[in-house]
Each structure stands twice: as structure tokens, then as C-alpha cells.
Amino acid sequence: MAQTVDDLRNEIRQAVGRYERIESTAFTKEALAAICDAVDYDVDTDDRPSKPQMRAGILWKIGVIDEDDPASAERPFRKAELEAIAAALEDE
């Protein structure tokens, strides 16, 4: 059976040392920062960038988009993007 978006988010959270969530929620800034760290996208943890900037950086580092432009990641990750992130984290 295919994984749901919630399953994928929780798999990613656990892969980067965050806790699983029972309710369906998008990633927090802290979770996004942990994912950025896992895919080697440098973020300033003292003055954390916006969620779109971190999402764009993650997608850029795993090869889903061509540049880390926050305008290309204004919305939460789509299922295909979550699958790509989960696969990238498995490869590490």
C-alpha cells in the first residue's frame, strides 16, 4: 500500500531525529532546519530563514529544483517532493 503524505512526513521527521506526530501537520521551522542539516543545506540557526527558503533549499540540494528560490516553494511539500526527500535521506 502506498504511503500517505502523513506517513512520509513522519518518516522524514524520524530520519532527521525529530518526533513523529499523530495529527496531520506541515513541518515546523525546527523540523525544516533539521532536514536542511541532513541534506547539507546551510541555514543560520540563530536567524533561521523563512519556511519557503528552507523548503527551496532542501528541494535544490536533492535535485528537485534548479535553484534555491523561495518563490518556488511557497506552499508545503507535495507528495512527490516528500517521496524525493525520503529517498534522499535513505541514501545518506
Side-chain angles (χ1 to χ4, degrees):
M1 182 153 87
Q3 289 182 300
T4 66
V5 169
D6 293 335
D7 293 336
L8 288 164
R9 282 188 190 125
N10 280 328
E11 180 181 320
I12 293 166
R13 284 183 181 105
Q14 291 176 331
V16 298
R18 305 296 297 171
Y19 57 91
E20 188 173 346
R21 298 189 70 142
I22 296 170
E23 70 278 354
S24 174
T25 61
F27 292 114
T28 62
K29 277 191 161 191
E30 292 78 13
L32 286 171
I35 299 166
C36 285
D37 186 49
V39 299
D40 296 325
Y41 181 68
D42 291 327
V43 293
D44 180 1
T45 55
D46 292 331
D47 185 33
R48 211 168 276 140
S50 67
K51 283 184 170 185
Q53 180 65 58
M54 288 190 281
R55 284 192 294 262
I58 292 163
L59 295 175
W60 172 65
K61 287 300 278 189
I62 64 169
V64 173
I65 59 177
D66 294 331
E67 60 183 325
D68 64 341
D69 178 13
S72 64
E74 289 289 327
R75 52 161 176 65
F77 293 122
R78 306 252 185 217
K79 185 173 184 178
E81 294 166 340
L82 291 168
E83 290 170 337
I85 294 165
L89 293 173
E90 281 179 10
D91 292 341
E92 300 221 353

